[in-house]
């Protein structure tokens, strides 16, 4: 193969290479990419021609990355990630210019009185703004802001340092237990009584400071929490709790919004409350659409829509 490079590789070809590097099998990679095996093979050959080096070694039985392929792999990942980031930033700028706002919510936040008040005031003050609500899984609610897939998110803090908040409401937290758990018969609980009861865990992309707060880890006596199964959304959380595999702490409003057979919500007398807030990236605070919903949140607060629940 010659050493000259006639053309730059396309982002599409780099994506194909990344998938092939994970599968190390043309058939499996092609199936995952929803293309034919010959088409994938042709694109990889074209990538190699453009790069001037072989990136995979093919035999009748195996496929491995060449030394060059191994060296180029992290660069290909970085290049694809940079293009993805560029696309997200461009989309965010397009939304700003066109007056579109993507608002993320999680759980029942979209149904809360304070959320409805903020969105109603936004539409009253800025009828030209188009709002799209998206419901986010646990692993996505802060990542959506960081990746600019959502412009603002209604969240339950804490959050990372790159995010700013406007406080909207405060409410107690409650324990969520299986009705079959021995503690479920009690009218109220203390954190000490819940010591040793496993708590559902979150996907690894969820910031630990957020789940440490919601799991109350460590407990007031310094003991660490024992974790149970990982859950990704509210339904999987409730199913896991109902099955008796673990417990969790939720906002008191869960009693109203998530009643389920096999689950009991119990007050915890020494548990600190939770807050609801509107969140946005600190560096994007002055963008027109984000500024508009920030002002709506402040007005909602001043009008008394965010009284404690």
């Amino acid at each position: 193969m010659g050493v000259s490079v006639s053309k730059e590789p396309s982002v599409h070809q780099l994506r194909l290479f990344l998938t092939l590097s994970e599968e190390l099998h043309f058939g499996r990679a092609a199936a995952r990419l929803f293309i034919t095996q010959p088409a994938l093979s042709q694109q990889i050959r074209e990538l190699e021609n453009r790069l001037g080096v072989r990136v995979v070694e093919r035999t009748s039985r195996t496929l491995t990355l060449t030394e060059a392929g191994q060296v180029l792999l992290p660069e290909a990942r970085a290049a694809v990630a940079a293009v993805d980031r560029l696309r997200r930033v461009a989309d965010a700028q397009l939304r700003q210019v066109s007056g579109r706002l993507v608002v993320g919510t999680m759980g029942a936040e979209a149904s809360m009185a304070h959320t409805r008040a903020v969105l109603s005031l936004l539409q009253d003050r800025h009828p030209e703004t188009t709002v799209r609500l998206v419901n986010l899984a646990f692993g996505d609610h802060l990542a959506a802001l960081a990746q600019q897939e959502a412009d603002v998110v209604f969240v339950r803090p804490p959050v990372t340092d790159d995010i700013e908040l406007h406080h909207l409401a405060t409410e107690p937290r409650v324990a969520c237990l299986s009705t079959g758990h021995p503690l479920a018969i009690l009218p109220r609980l203390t954190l000490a009584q819940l010591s040793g009861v496993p708590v559902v865990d979150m996907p690894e992309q969820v910031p630990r400071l957020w789940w440490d707060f919601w799991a109350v880890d460590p407990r007031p006596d310094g003991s660490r929490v024992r974790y149970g199964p990982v859950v990704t959304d509210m339904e999987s959380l409730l199913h896991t709790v109902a099955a008796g595999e673990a417990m969790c702490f939720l906002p008191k409003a869960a009693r109203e919004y998530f009643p389920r057979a096999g689950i009991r919500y119990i007050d915890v007398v020494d548990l600190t409350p939770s807050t609801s807030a509107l969140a946005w990236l600190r560096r994007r605070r002055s963008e027109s659409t984000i500024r508009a919903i920030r002002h709506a949140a402040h007005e909602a607060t001043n009008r008394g829509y965010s009284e404690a629940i």
Side-chain angles (χ1 to χ4, degrees), residues 88-97 100-102 144-153 162-164 279-294:
R88 289 193 295 267
V89 172
D91 287 343
Q93 292 302 306
L94 175 61
R95 293 198 297 270
Q96 181 183 359
V97 170
R100 288 184 290 136
L101 190 71
V102 177
L145 281 179
Q147 297 172 4
Q148 299 193 36
E149 293 168 354
D151 301 305
V152 296
V153 177
D162 57 335
I163 295 171
E164 289 185 334
W280 58 87
L281 282 180
R282 188 182 304 276
R283 66 176 183 270
R284 297 185 63 196
R285 71 186 323 269
S286 297
E287 293 180 15
S288 58
T289 50
I290 295 176
R291 189 168 61 247
I293 194 169
R294 285 173 45 223

Side-chain angles (χ1 to χ4, degrees), residues 41 92 117 121 186 201 209 213 215 244 246:
S41 182
L121 283 168
L186 299 178
D201 205 357
L209 88 161
F213 170 80

Side-chain angles (χ1 to χ4, degrees), residues 14-248:
L14 294 178
R15 292 187 194 279
L16 299 183
F17 171 51
L18 293 181
T19 301
L20 185 60
S21 72
E22 294 171 0
E23 297 293 342
L24 292 178
H25 188 281
F26 272 102
R28 290 195 300 270
R32 181 171 153 189
L33 292 162
F34 299 100
I35 61 176
T36 65
Q37 186 171 329
L40 175 59
S41 182
Q42 180 181 352
Q43 285 293 315
I44 295 299
R45 281 196 298 271
E46 177 63 19
L47 172 65
E48 292 175 327
N49 288 336
R50 293 186 178 196
L51 292 172
V53 294
R54 291 193 180 279
V55 296
V56 294
E57 191 68 47
R58 307 164 178 83
T59 70
S60 58
R61 292 178 177 271
T62 62
L63 185 145
T64 57
L65 296 184
T66 63
E67 182 178 351
Q70 292 173 359
V71 172
L72 291 171
L73 183 60
E75 304 301 328
R77 287 199 189 100
V80 170
V83 171
D84 288 343
R85 187 165 56 251
L86 176 67
R87 182 71 266 170
R88 289 193 295 267
V89 172
D91 287 343
Q93 292 302 306
L94 175 61
R95 293 198 297 270
Q96 181 183 359
V97 170
S98 62
R100 288 184 290 136
L101 190 71
V102 177
V103 177
T105 66
M106 185 179 65
E109 268 330 279
S111 301
M112 298 293 177
H114 50 265
T115 302
R116 298 197 308 271
V118 172
L119 295 178
S120 177
L121 283 168
L122 174 67
Q123 293 290 270
D124 287 345
R125 302 293 181 267
H126 302 275
E128 75 285 357
T129 299
T130 302
V131 175
R132 181 166 72 90
L133 282 175
V134 292
N135 191 48
L136 302 170
F138 295 136
D140 302 331
H141 72 295
L142 295 182
L145 281 179
Q147 297 172 4
Q148 299 193 36
E149 293 168 354
D151 301 305
V152 296
V153 177
F154 287 95
V155 298
R156 298 279 175 154
V159 297
T160 51
D161 291 340
D162 57 335
I163 295 171
E164 289 185 334
L165 298 171
H166 177 77
H167 172 80
L168 292 167
T170 300
E171 67 176 308
R173 288 184 286 170
V174 295
C176 179
L177 284 166
S178 165
T179 53
H181 195 281
L183 293 174
I185 63 171
L186 299 178
R188 62 190 60 83
L189 293 167
T190 65
L191 287 170
Q193 287 174 300
L194 292 164
S195 177
V197 181
V199 177
V200 297
D201 205 357
M202 289 287 123
E204 62 180 11
Q205 65 266 33
V206 173
R208 206 65 222 178
L209 88 161
W210 184 74
W211 194 238
D212 283 348
F213 170 80
W214 283 97
V216 195
D217 188 11
R219 296 294 164 84
D221 63 1
S223 62
R224 304 300 306 208
V225 167
R226 182 163 62 95
Y227 288 99
V230 171
V231 298
T232 56
D233 53 31
M234 187 60 69
E235 289 305 319
S236 62
L237 179 150
L238 295 172
H239 176 80
T240 300
V241 172
E245 299 178 57
M247 58 88 57
C248 67

